[in-house]
Amino acid sequence: MKTIIEPFRIKSVEPIYFTTKEERKKILAKADYNPFCIPAKDVLIDLLTDSGTSAMSSSQWAGIMLGDESYAGSSSFFKFEDSVKKITGMQYIIPTHQGRAAEKIIFTILGGKGKYFISNTLFDTTRANIEFSGAEGIDCLCEEGKYPNIPAPFKGNIDIDVLRKIIDEKGAANIPMVIITITNNSGGGQPVSMQNIKDTRRICNEYKIPLFIDACRFAENAYFIKLREKGYSNKSVPEIARELFSYADGCTMSAKKDAFANIGGFLAMNDPDLAVRCRNLLVITEGFTTYGGLAGRDLEAIAVGLQEVMEEPYLQYRIRSIEYLSNKLIAAGVPLMQPAGGHAVYLDAKSFLPHIPVDQYPGQSLVCALYEEGGIRSVEIGSLMFGKYDDKGKLIPSQMELVRLAVPRRVYTQSHIDYVAEVIIEVFNRRNEIKGLQITEEAPLLRHFTVKLKPVQEY
Ligand code: F0G
């Protein structure tokens, strides 16, 4: 097979600034070993997130110029609404300024003390919005999703038996919604199968519980279904997406991912009463119902991006480029989550740095080593992000110590990805020299954003 090439030409470029290893050592120390505190200009390849970092197409930029900034009923809203309806088939489309704003609205309305929301894996902002309402979030990921190095086609699936058990235990009346995250970001960007969505629907019908989809990466998930699930290879991505949404009562969406937009999101649903309640809250917190915190030009960019993201040459290149990086690393023996996810490669820091104990944050140590070696910015998804303390102040570690390298859409070329692989392999080859870190300052909530650390002293 021939090389799968980037299905675009580059019309406008942004410079990357080069730094030396010595400079990066100083930058890292100044940022207290927390790459969230490194100025973006000092990063060579920024794989911190795939959110809001996409390159927009010339059609999207043309849309920006067409943006209708009318307060009410702007023509940009109707294009946006049409585009979302075409994909989801849902009736009520509510724009928000990003995904978590959609979450805030729906969970404020449906959440509250004594309520439970069940998911394959809730993303952190989703869980935070659920908990902020007083409700509880419960993850019930399938067994195969819990082991990074055992490949399986749909490691994002919900565990249907456990789902039923939890519903029986908590009582259907206390469960306002089951929400499936596609692809499963916190579980390695792994897809959910159509069969699993159908089975979840069946159980939701049985217990009369609405089913929602966290649709941030719906196109990547739909493409995985096309590639891996029996009966879908001849269906188009829009057909698969439409079927997938047809099993749901609603969805939340961050347009910063699979809509190629730098900002934006929405809520979509079929229940007219729920839509009225959401819109009433929207007007207080986000804006009028036809702009919801976005400029008309953003709505245009999203309307166009949502259709472009389903083009198969793009998805083939997208999924392939993550797999390409993953394969290079596997060939060099680097431990990582397998198979490759849709938007990111997740290194298994516990196996990468077995000499660093979890309370010296092997994930964060690896994040810092990748920056120092090659100016690559990644993010720890492990005990720094999720760790809690027990009564005696001892760290309760997270289940896995991962480092996520999230690839922005249409931004980097194959040689950038080759460089990333070279840097990781270089760090892997001298992994024994890497030291652990200790925390010097931390916030009580979401500490990873602002935490300060220093290298562990040797005695
Ligand atoms: N749901 C999922 C699955 C996400 O990955 C994100 C964001 C959100 C909801 C919230 O959307 O950022 O627009 O408010 N994920 C980003 C990331 C931040 O880096 O994975 P948002």
Side-chain angles (χ1 to χ4, degrees), residues 49 98-100 103 123 125 185 214 216-217 254 257 404:
T49 178
Q98 61 184 91
R100 68 197 72 180
E103 292 164 0
F123 180 67
T125 59
N185 185 10
D214 176 340
C216 298
R217 300 178 179 86
S254 166
K257 284 86 171 172
R404 185 183 78 169

Side-chain angles (χ1 to χ4, degrees), residues 48-51 97-101 103 121-126 181-186 214-217 252-257 263-265 343 346 379 404 406:
L48 186 66
T49 178
D50 64 323
S51 180
H97 83 272
Q98 61 184 91
R100 68 197 72 180
E103 292 164 0
T121 313
L122 295 161
F123 180 67
D124 7 340
T125 59
T126 324
T181 313
I182 63 168
T183 58
N184 187 22
N185 185 10
S186 310
D214 176 340
C216 298
R217 300 178 179 86
T252 57
M253 170 82 186
S254 166
K256 300 175 74 172
K257 284 86 171 172
I263 197 73
H343 66 297
Y346 293 71
V379 68
R404 185 183 78 169

Side-chain angles (χ1 to χ4, degrees), residues 363-383:
Q364 188 71 1
S365 306
L366 181 52
V367 164
C368 290
L370 295 176
Y371 178 74
E372 188 183 302
E373 182 63 41
I376 296 168
R377 180 154 65 173
S378 54
V379 68
E380 192 256 17
I381 302 195
S383 293

Side-chain angles (χ1 to χ4, degrees), residues 283-408:
V283 173
I284 303 171
T285 58
E286 289 280 290
F288 186 64
T289 56
T290 59
Y291 75 87
L294 292 168
R297 53 180 167 270
D298 299 325
L299 293 166
E300 291 272 349
I302 296 168
V304 176
L306 280 173
Q307 302 303 320
E308 282 180 358
V309 79
M310 294 189 293
E311 288 169 8
E312 286 189 26
Y314 160 73
L315 284 167
Q316 186 190 30
Y317 138 82
R318 170 73 176 160
I319 299 305
R320 174 64 195 150
S321 60
I322 313 289
E323 187 188 51
Y324 174 83
L325 174 58
S326 177
N327 287 351
K328 281 200 157 201
L329 299 176
I330 291 167
V334 177
L336 44 76
M337 174 77 90
Q338 291 189 50
H343 66 297
V345 165
Y346 293 71
L347 304 178
D348 179 0
K350 222 188 253 181
S351 312
F352 198 116
L353 300 172
H355 60 286
I356 301 183
V358 285
D359 61 358
Q360 292 180 13
Y361 304 102
Q364 188 71 1
S365 306
L366 181 52
V367 164
C368 290
L370 295 176
Y371 178 74
E372 188 183 302
E373 182 63 41
I376 296 168
R377 180 154 65 173
S378 54
V379 68
E380 192 256 17
I381 302 195
S383 293
L384 190 67
M385 192 179 266
F386 298 126
K388 297 205 164 100
Y389 295 111
D390 67 13
D391 299 344
K392 298 191 178 80
K394 194 170 167 332
L395 178 77
I396 309 167
S398 114
Q399 198 179 355
M400 295 192 268
E401 304 293 335
L402 301 175
V403 168
R404 185 183 78 169
L405 300 134
V407 183

Side-chain angles (χ1 to χ4, degrees), residues 96-108:
T96 59
H97 83 272
Q98 61 184 91
R100 68 197 72 180
E103 292 164 0
K104 171 82 178 136
I105 289 171
I106 197 80
F107 297 124
T108 300

